[in-house]
Amino acid sequence: MLRVGLTGGIGSGKSTVARRLAEHGAVVIDADRIAREVVEPGTDGLAEIRQAFGDDVVSDGALDRARLAQRVFTDETARTTLNGIVHPRIGARTAELMAAASQDAIVVHDVPLLVENHLGPAYHLVLVVDAPEEERVHRVVRDRGMAEQDARARIRAQATEEARRAAADVWLDNGGSRDEVLAVVDALWADRLVRYEANIRLGRRAKYGTPRLVEPDPAWPAQAARLRERIAMAAGGLAGRIDHIGSTSVPGLPAKDVIDLQVTVASLADADAMGDGLAAAGFPKLPGVDHDNPKPYAPDVAQWRKRFHAAADPGRLANVHIRVEGSPGWRYALLLPDWLRANPAERDDYLATKRELAARYTADDDTANYSEAKEAWFDAAGPRAEEWARRTGWQAG
Ligand code: ADP
């Protein structure tokens, strides 16, 4: 099952996108609708609200939303009471609908407050629909008869664009025509969501093509940050620090568009214990990889054991190395990026080598050769990095 979180400010076109995804076959779970259902006339949710807030928040057997809103607006205790009644019921109903979806479903959870409530890490992918504020106001005034003032007040109370961008794996710009955004959604469905779901279900990583260097993407750190949060959640309490490592973590360094992350664990037993959780969260394990190549200064392969997972998302390739805290491979993975960040001349030397190798190994099956040749550079660079670590008093972490 692929769990997609969908959000966007009022009038952005979130419902329009949700409908299109449903037409493609997505199971859409509408958080707003569930929030209404759990307090419908006759529900125990409504009965409990009545008990807590009195008869005047109910009129003709139905919840008087405006009155209840007034009561909780300025009263934090009342708000906590209300949330204590409503949230567990919404959670239970949502879980029920998720559980009812088939194993190969693409579930789209339409959640207006996804960003505000920091719910992103629970999904495999977060889609944010957006449009310029003026356009959004225009749409809801035109189509929903909302007063302009109300629309603007709602927008001001919602998450900022910056917060939405930080949460978005996919940013759907709906500032143009409806057909334009629908075409983007169609492509997203076919090229990414369908494949991502299949990869998760089959426990396989996203397909990996020829190594190709791309210019450094300023979005890499934010993408890594989202993956880290997902991994931390999936690992439960078993993960220690999670770091963005590798070339994409070094500013200004062209790299393959693959994000490397390192999960710190106390033992490989912990790494194994989190394996199924990571796979379900979109990072299946690659069973064939269980160690890094030992370096001459620590030749015993037992010291270099690790677990290796990779992203199932064809739209965001990522490698997840799980290494034991204090092991030579763990230390090395933290040292090298720090050293390259601090030494631009070394970074440029590394880049020149990468360019040369990428030009030499161009076929699809050359990835292994490319990696091996790159390691030769690192073997030579290791002592220089260690020298720098000694000189500067660098510590892992
Ligand atoms: P949301 O669910 O984010 O509040 P909707 O999908 O309901 O937004 O869209 C708000 C209104 O704008 C709806 O009436 C919808 O039909 C209309 N709309 C959505 N996308 C566009 C677009 N690209 N151009 C013009 N109108 C649009």
Side-chain angles (χ1 to χ4, degrees):
M1 178 190 292
L2 184 75
R3 287 187 313 275
V4 177
L6 171 67
T7 195
I10 181 168
S12 60
K14 181 173 61 67
S15 310
T16 303
V17 167
R19 269 194 302 277
R20 185 62 151 208
L21 290 167
E23 281 166 22
H24 280 293
V27 175
V28 175
I29 300 179
D30 181 334
D32 266 353
R33 177 186 298 176
I34 293 176
R36 285 192 302 272
E37 281 173 2
V38 297
V39 294
E40 265 172 4
T43 57
D44 60 6
L46 182 59
E48 218 175 293
I49 289 176
R50 178 180 225 150
Q51 205 166 40
F53 292 89
D55 288 344
D56 60 339
V57 298
V58 178
S59 64
D60 293 337
L63 185 63
D64 186 335
R65 287 175 179 282
R67 184 154 281 182
L68 181 62
Q70 245 171 26
R71 293 277 296 278
V72 301
F73 188 64
T74 51
D75 182 345
E76 180 148 1
T77 314
R79 203 155 53 231
T80 306
T81 304
L82 178 62
N83 288 342
I85 297 169
V86 173
H87 284 178
R89 288 180 165 83
I90 294 176
R93 179 65 183 144
T94 306
E96 195 176 275
L97 291 172
M98 290 253 184
S102 65
Q103 204 209 339
D104 62 354
I106 296 175
V107 175
V108 173
H109 195 193
D110 176 342
V111 188
L113 297 181
L114 186 150
V115 175
E116 290 81 349
N117 292 333
H118 198 66
L119 303 174
Y123 300 98
H124 292 108
L125 205 68
V126 170
L127 317 183
V128 175
V129 190
D130 194 60
E133 177 168 334
E134 289 313 309
E135 183 61 33
R136 291 161 58 196
V137 170
H138 171 71
R139 285 176 193 166
V140 295
V141 169
R142 177 194 67 194
D143 299 345
R144 290 191 202 150
M146 195 181 247
E148 183 180 331
Q149 296 249 327
D150 292 348
R152 291 197 192 277
R154 287 279 287 279
I155 287 172
R156 269 196 302 280
Q158 293 181 331
T160 60
E161 174 173 342
E162 191 189 4
R164 286 212 176 92
R165 283 203 185 265
D169 296 293
V170 178
W171 186 259
L172 291 167
D173 180 356
N174 185 26
S177 74
R178 204 182 315 244
D179 284 350
E180 279 172 311
V181 78
L182 294 182
V184 174
V185 172
D186 293 350
L188 175 72
W189 177 267
D191 298 340
R192 191 163 183 181
L193 302 187
V194 169
R195 293 180 189 178
Y196 194 176
E197 184 284 316
N199 287 343
I200 290 175
R201 181 163 33 89
L202 301 171
R204 64 186 185 200
R205 72 175 303 166
K207 204 164 157 359
Y208 201 116
T210 311
R212 200 169 60 81
L213 290 181
V214 299
E215 287 307 305
D217 185 341
W220 279 336
Q223 292 171 358
R226 283 192 294 276
L227 300 184
R228 283 167 56 190
E229 291 197 299
R230 250 167 225 148
I231 290 167
M233 180 176 256
L238 293 167
R241 52 183 292 172
I242 301 174
D243 292 277
H244 181 199
I245 58 166
S247 295
T248 58
S249 75
V250 180
L253 186 60
K256 279 182 294 170
D257 193 3
V258 182
I259 289 192
D260 283 281
L261 298 159
Q262 173 166 279
V263 179
T264 299
V265 288
S267 69
L268 286 177
D270 283 354
D272 290 332
M274 71 175 69
D276 289 348
L278 288 192
F283 303 94
K285 180 180 169 188
L286 269 73
V289 185
D290 71 353
H291 66 274
D292 294 305
N293 289 336
K295 307 274 178 218
Y297 60 87
D300 182 1
V301 71
Q303 286 186 279
W304 297 84
R305 298 250 177 255
K306 69 170 178 182
R307 297 294 181 258
F308 184 68
H309 292 238
D313 178 4
R316 179 58 274 161
L317 300 180
N319 296 326
V320 182
H321 311 261
I322 312 180
R323 296 193 179 100
V324 175
E325 180 157 24
S327 67
W330 174 84
R331 179 186 146 81
Y332 190 79
L334 295 175
L335 169 60
L336 264 286
D338 277 351
W339 172 65
L340 289 174
R341 282 182 208 117
N343 296 277
E346 296 285 7
R347 186 194 65 191
D348 293 346
D349 186 49
Y350 175 47
L351 175 60
T353 305
K354 286 217 298 188
R355 285 206 198 281
E356 189 200 314
L357 295 175
R360 193 178 324 153
Y361 301 115
T362 51
D364 257 359
D365 53 4
D366 270 350
T367 307
N369 289 331
Y370 171 85
S371 297
E372 212 171 284
K374 224 174 52 176
E375 257 190 59
W377 186 89
F378 277 113
D379 284 349
R384 299 201 297 278
E386 287 295 351
E387 212 292 298
W388 171 82
R390 265 191 304 280
R391 192 155 37 81
T392 59
W394 178 87
Q395 299 269 329

Short mmCIF file of all heavy atoms in Angstrom, two decimals, residues 8-17 19 135 139-140 142-144 174-179 181, ligand 1:
data_model
loop_
_atom_site.label_atom_id
_atom_site.label_comp_id
_atom_site.label_asym_id
_atom_site.label_seq_id
_atom_site.Cartn_x
_atom_site.Cartn_y
_atom_site.Cartn_z
N GLY A 8 -2.99 21.36 0.89
CA GLY A 8 -2.95 22.61 0.14
C GLY A 8 -3.88 23.58 0.84
O GLY A 8 -4.82 23.17 1.51
N GLY A 9 -3.58 24.85 0.71
CA GLY A 9 -4.41 25.86 1.36
C GLY A 9 -5.77 25.96 0.69
O GLY A 9 -6.00 25.40 -0.39
N ILE A 10 -6.67 26.65 1.33
CA ILE A 10 -8.02 26.80 0.80
C ILE A 10 -7.98 27.41 -0.62
O ILE A 10 -7.24 28.35 -0.87
CB ILE A 10 -8.89 27.66 1.74
CG1 ILE A 10 -10.30 27.80 1.19
CG2 ILE A 10 -8.27 29.03 2.00
CD1 ILE A 10 -11.26 28.39 2.20
N GLY A 11 -8.75 26.80 -1.52
CA GLY A 11 -8.83 27.31 -2.88
C GLY A 11 -7.66 26.96 -3.77
O GLY A 11 -7.59 27.37 -4.93
N SER A 12 -6.73 26.17 -3.25
CA SER A 12 -5.54 25.84 -4.06
C SER A 12 -5.87 24.84 -5.16
O SER A 12 -5.21 24.81 -6.20
CB SER A 12 -4.45 25.25 -3.16
OG SER A 12 -4.93 24.08 -2.52
N GLY A 13 -6.89 24.03 -4.94
CA GLY A 13 -7.24 23.00 -5.92
C GLY A 13 -7.01 21.60 -5.38
O GLY A 13 -6.97 20.63 -6.14
N LYS A 14 -6.88 21.50 -4.08
CA LYS A 14 -6.64 20.21 -3.44
C LYS A 14 -7.76 19.20 -3.78
O LYS A 14 -7.48 18.06 -4.12
CB LYS A 14 -6.56 20.42 -1.93
CG LYS A 14 -6.31 19.20 -1.12
CD LYS A 14 -6.08 19.56 0.33
CE LYS A 14 -7.29 20.24 0.96
NZ LYS A 14 -8.46 19.36 1.09
N SER A 15 -9.01 19.64 -3.68
CA SER A 15 -10.12 18.72 -3.96
C SER A 15 -10.13 18.33 -5.44
O SER A 15 -10.48 17.19 -5.78
CB SER A 15 -11.45 19.38 -3.60
OG SER A 15 -11.39 19.91 -2.31
N THR A 16 -9.77 19.27 -6.29
CA THR A 16 -9.71 18.99 -7.72
C THR A 16 -8.68 17.88 -7.99
O THR A 16 -8.93 16.94 -8.75
CB THR A 16 -9.31 20.29 -8.47
OG1 THR A 16 -10.26 21.30 -8.13
CG2 THR A 16 -9.27 20.08 -9.97
N VAL A 17 -7.53 17.98 -7.34
CA VAL A 17 -6.48 16.98 -7.51
C VAL A 17 -6.93 15.64 -6.91
O VAL A 17 -6.72 14.58 -7.50
CB VAL A 17 -5.17 17.48 -6.85
CG1 VAL A 17 -4.15 16.35 -6.72
CG2 VAL A 17 -4.59 18.65 -7.64
N ARG A 19 -9.93 14.47 -6.61
CA ARG A 19 -10.91 13.83 -7.49
C ARG A 19 -10.22 13.13 -8.67
O ARG A 19 -10.59 12.03 -9.06
CB ARG A 19 -11.91 14.86 -8.01
CG ARG A 19 -13.15 15.01 -7.12
CD ARG A 19 -14.26 15.77 -7.83
NE ARG A 19 -13.83 17.11 -8.24
CZ ARG A 19 -13.83 18.18 -7.43
NH1 ARG A 19 -14.24 18.07 -6.18
NH2 ARG A 19 -13.43 19.35 -7.88
N GLU A 135 -5.32 34.29 -6.76
CA GLU A 135 -6.07 33.32 -7.55
C GLU A 135 -6.95 32.45 -6.63
O GLU A 135 -8.11 32.16 -6.93
CB GLU A 135 -5.07 32.46 -8.33
CG GLU A 135 -5.67 31.44 -9.26
CD GLU A 135 -6.52 32.05 -10.36
OE1 GLU A 135 -6.22 33.17 -10.82
OE2 GLU A 135 -7.52 31.39 -10.74
N ARG A 139 -11.01 32.23 -6.67
CA ARG A 139 -11.73 30.98 -6.91
C ARG A 139 -12.79 30.71 -5.86
O ARG A 139 -13.92 30.31 -6.19
CB ARG A 139 -10.75 29.80 -6.95
CG ARG A 139 -9.96 29.74 -8.23
CD ARG A 139 -8.94 28.62 -8.16
NE ARG A 139 -7.98 28.76 -9.26
CZ ARG A 139 -6.83 28.10 -9.32
NH1 ARG A 139 -6.49 27.28 -8.34
NH2 ARG A 139 -6.02 28.27 -10.34
N VAL A 140 -12.43 30.89 -4.58
CA VAL A 140 -13.43 30.53 -3.56
C VAL A 140 -14.55 31.57 -3.47
O VAL A 140 -15.67 31.25 -3.12
CB VAL A 140 -12.81 30.27 -2.16
CG1 VAL A 140 -11.91 29.05 -2.21
CG2 VAL A 140 -12.09 31.47 -1.63
N ARG A 142 -15.63 33.17 -6.16
CA ARG A 142 -16.40 32.88 -7.37
C ARG A 142 -17.22 31.59 -7.22
O ARG A 142 -18.42 31.57 -7.49
CB ARG A 142 -15.44 32.74 -8.55
CG ARG A 142 -16.10 32.37 -9.89
CD ARG A 142 -15.06 31.93 -10.91
NE ARG A 142 -14.43 30.67 -10.50
CZ ARG A 142 -13.32 30.18 -11.05
NH1 ARG A 142 -12.69 30.85 -12.00
NH2 ARG A 142 -12.81 29.03 -10.63
N ASP A 143 -16.57 30.52 -6.76
CA ASP A 143 -17.21 29.20 -6.81
C ASP A 143 -17.93 28.81 -5.53
O ASP A 143 -18.79 27.96 -5.55
CB ASP A 143 -16.17 28.12 -7.12
CG ASP A 143 -15.51 28.34 -8.48
OD1 ASP A 143 -16.05 29.14 -9.26
OD2 ASP A 143 -14.46 27.72 -8.74
N ARG A 144 -17.54 29.40 -4.40
CA ARG A 144 -18.17 28.97 -3.15
C ARG A 144 -18.93 30.10 -2.48
O ARG A 144 -19.46 29.92 -1.39
CB ARG A 144 -17.11 28.46 -2.17
CG ARG A 144 -16.52 27.16 -2.60
CD ARG A 144 -15.67 26.56 -1.50
NE ARG A 144 -14.73 25.63 -2.07
CZ ARG A 144 -13.54 25.37 -1.56
NH1 ARG A 144 -13.12 25.98 -0.48
NH2 ARG A 144 -12.75 24.49 -2.14
N ASN A 174 -0.86 24.92 -9.20
CA ASN A 174 -2.17 25.03 -9.85
C ASN A 174 -2.51 26.49 -10.10
O ASN A 174 -3.66 26.93 -9.96
CB ASN A 174 -3.24 24.35 -8.99
CG ASN A 174 -4.60 24.32 -9.67
OD1 ASN A 174 -4.69 24.35 -10.90
ND2 ASN A 174 -5.67 24.27 -8.88
N GLY A 175 -1.49 27.27 -10.49
CA GLY A 175 -1.73 28.67 -10.82
C GLY A 175 -2.23 28.84 -12.24
O GLY A 175 -2.71 29.90 -12.63
N GLY A 176 -2.12 27.78 -13.03
CA GLY A 176 -2.56 27.86 -14.43
C GLY A 176 -3.94 27.27 -14.60
O GLY A 176 -4.77 27.34 -13.68
N SER A 177 -4.19 26.69 -15.75
CA SER A 177 -5.54 26.16 -16.02
C SER A 177 -5.72 24.83 -15.31
O SER A 177 -4.76 24.17 -14.93
CB SER A 177 -5.73 25.96 -17.53
OG SER A 177 -4.99 24.83 -17.94
N ARG A 178 -6.98 24.43 -15.18
CA ARG A 178 -7.29 23.14 -14.58
C ARG A 178 -6.66 22.00 -15.39
O ARG A 178 -6.11 21.07 -14.84
CB ARG A 178 -8.81 22.99 -14.55
CG ARG A 178 -9.32 22.05 -13.50
CD ARG A 178 -10.83 21.94 -13.60
NE ARG A 178 -11.44 23.25 -13.76
CZ ARG A 178 -12.26 23.80 -12.86
NH1 ARG A 178 -12.53 23.16 -11.76
NH2 ARG A 178 -12.80 24.98 -13.08
N ASP A 179 -6.76 22.12 -16.72
CA ASP A 179 -6.20 21.05 -17.57
C ASP A 179 -4.71 20.88 -17.33
O ASP A 179 -4.19 19.77 -17.38
CB ASP A 179 -6.45 21.35 -19.05
CG ASP A 179 -7.89 21.06 -19.43
OD1 ASP A 179 -8.62 20.46 -18.59
OD2 ASP A 179 -8.30 21.43 -20.54
N VAL A 181 -2.95 21.39 -14.54
CA VAL A 181 -2.62 20.67 -13.31
C VAL A 181 -3.07 19.21 -13.41
O VAL A 181 -2.39 18.31 -12.92
CB VAL A 181 -3.19 21.37 -12.05
CG1 VAL A 181 -4.67 21.11 -11.86
CG2 VAL A 181 -2.42 20.92 -10.81
P1 ADP B 1 -9.48 23.29 -2.36
O1 ADP B 1 -10.03 21.91 -2.17
O2 ADP B 1 -8.00 23.35 -2.32
O3 ADP B 1 -10.09 24.34 -1.50
P2 ADP B 1 -10.80 23.16 -4.94
O4 ADP B 1 -10.21 22.01 -5.66
O5 ADP B 1 -12.16 22.99 -4.37
O6 ADP B 1 -9.79 23.72 -3.86
O7 ADP B 1 -10.75 24.40 -5.91
C1 ADP B 1 -11.33 25.64 -5.53
C2 ADP B 1 -12.23 26.13 -6.66
O8 ADP B 1 -11.38 26.49 -7.76
C3 ADP B 1 -13.15 25.02 -7.16
O9 ADP B 1 -14.38 25.58 -7.50
C4 ADP B 1 -12.43 24.49 -8.38
O10 ADP B 1 -13.34 24.00 -9.34
C5 ADP B 1 -11.71 25.72 -8.91
N1 ADP B 1 -10.42 25.41 -9.55
C6 ADP B 1 -9.51 24.46 -9.20
N2 ADP B 1 -8.45 24.50 -9.99
C7 ADP B 1 -8.64 25.50 -10.87
C8 ADP B 1 -7.88 26.06 -11.94
N3 ADP B 1 -6.67 25.60 -12.29
N4 ADP B 1 -8.42 27.09 -12.61
C9 ADP B 1 -9.63 27.60 -12.27
N5 ADP B 1 -10.38 27.12 -11.28
C10 ADP B 1 -9.92 26.09 -10.58
#
